[in-house]
Amino acid sequence: DPRKKVLTAWRTLAEVGWTGGGVIAYPLLASHRVQGNDVARARAEYLCDWIAEADHPASGLLWDVCGKNEGKRLNWWWSGYIVKDCHCAYTNGSGLYYLLKTLILSRAQGNDHSHWLGTACRALDTIVQLQQKDGNYGYSFSAERPAILDAEGFAGVWFVPALIFAHQLTGEARYLDSARRGLEFYHAFVRDLNCWGTPMDTWKSLDQEGNLGFLRGASLMHQVTHDDRYLAML
């Protein structure tokens, strides 16, 4: 708006994933690597520290919102009354993916943050525990105990690349085994050109955004296994 002389945010990006948290932290840290911007590095680490403090022991997952002014909680503005009072696969999966992606980049720059990995692995252990026999991770989760509330939707695909990063960082085969089964399950959505149930503001609708988690998962799986089947999926 050219009438405005001061740039201000219309809302806080306090989600741990999707449009906030690590989604912002990673490019900030990447800009530090390219430009040597120490302020960008400090902001990136600040955001990831917040995500690392967002673990919720009762559910075993991350609080979906975690910010200086917002505190730790579930609900934000997404889908209003439809997705409420529960953990969401997109925010948790995306948050964990970018937390570990940022950790890998940080280590490459000579800085380790072991508490980021600890938080991520605790949440991913819960997801592995909850994964269904067909590979599905679920769409929304209870805040009171480790449990899937709603299994239907594509958003759980974001756990796939997060689990592959966890495997690379820990050497734990169970993370990669879980990611394989997850990728096979979510491939059916992609194969049918019917990816629905991902973005938080388009509840259960088809979209052009949700496939990003699948693309990154298939790419990482091919890099790790060198199996051309995953290249074909990609």
Side-chain angles (χ1 to χ4, degrees):
D1 187 342
R3 295 170 297 178
K4 294 182 178 179
K5 304 301 180 183
V6 179
L7 182 64
T8 57
W10 68 273
R11 73 175 180 90
T12 304
L13 295 177
E15 308 93 301
V16 297
W18 175 41
T19 61
V23 178
I24 300 171
Y26 180 80
L28 284 175
L29 190 61
S31 74
H32 165 72
R33 184 176 189 177
V34 174
Q35 300 176 324
N37 186 334
D38 289 335
V39 174
R41 179 185 60 78
R43 293 292 186 184
E45 292 177 347
Y46 172 82
L47 286 167
C48 286
D49 283 341
W50 270 104
I51 301 172
E53 295 173 3
D55 57 323
H56 180 35
S59 65
L61 296 173
L62 302 180
W63 290 108
D64 298 67
V65 176
C66 187
K68 179 180 178 180
N69 299 315
E70 295 76 19
K72 300 175 184 178
R73 52 195 175 98
L74 298 170
N75 298 329
W76 203 224
W77 65 280
W78 49 67
S79 298
Y81 62 94
I82 300 176
V83 183
K84 193 173 181 181
D85 300 328
C86 60
H87 293 297
C88 297
Y90 197 149
T91 45
N92 265 259
S94 172
L96 293 166
Y97 167 78
Y98 277 104
L99 181 61
L100 294 180
K101 185 179 178 72
T102 308
L103 175 60
I104 291 171
L105 181 58
S106 183
R107 285 184 172 182
Q109 297 180 7
N111 299 307
D112 195 8
H113 302 274
S114 59
H115 58 300
W116 299 358
L117 180 60
T119 293
C121 286
R122 284 191 293 274
L124 290 171
D125 287 344
T126 300
I127 289 300
V128 171
Q129 171 192 339
L130 295 177
Q131 187 175 24
Q132 299 183 338
K133 291 181 179 180
D134 60 3
N136 184 11
Y137 293 114
Y139 176 82
S140 64
F141 309 89
S142 171
E144 300 173 355
R145 67 191 188 284
I148 296 174
L149 295 178
D150 182 355
E152 303 299 326
F154 190 63
V157 72
W158 273 103
F159 292 117
V160 173
L163 283 159
I164 299 172
F165 277 151
H167 163 71
Q168 291 178 314
L169 288 162
T170 67
E172 291 278 352
R174 59 196 177 89
Y175 291 137
L176 189 64
D177 292 340
S178 174
R180 287 180 194 270
R181 294 193 292 121
L183 198 64
E184 293 285 354
F185 174 80
Y186 294 105
H187 185 217
F189 289 77
V190 176
R191 192 172 54 241
D192 295 341
L193 298 180
N194 193 28
C195 298
W196 57 272
T198 305
M200 306 304 299
D201 47 3
T202 58
W203 187 76
K204 296 300 179 86
S205 66
L206 290 164
D207 70 89
Q208 299 174 341
E209 172 189 332
N211 57 23
L212 292 174
F214 181 87
L215 292 170
R216 290 165 185 174
S219 175
L220 282 171
M221 188 68 80
H222 180 257
Q223 291 175 34
V224 170
T225 66
H226 307 291
D227 187 335
D228 285 347
R229 191 158 53 97
Y230 301 114
L231 186 62
M233 287 185 182
L234 179 61

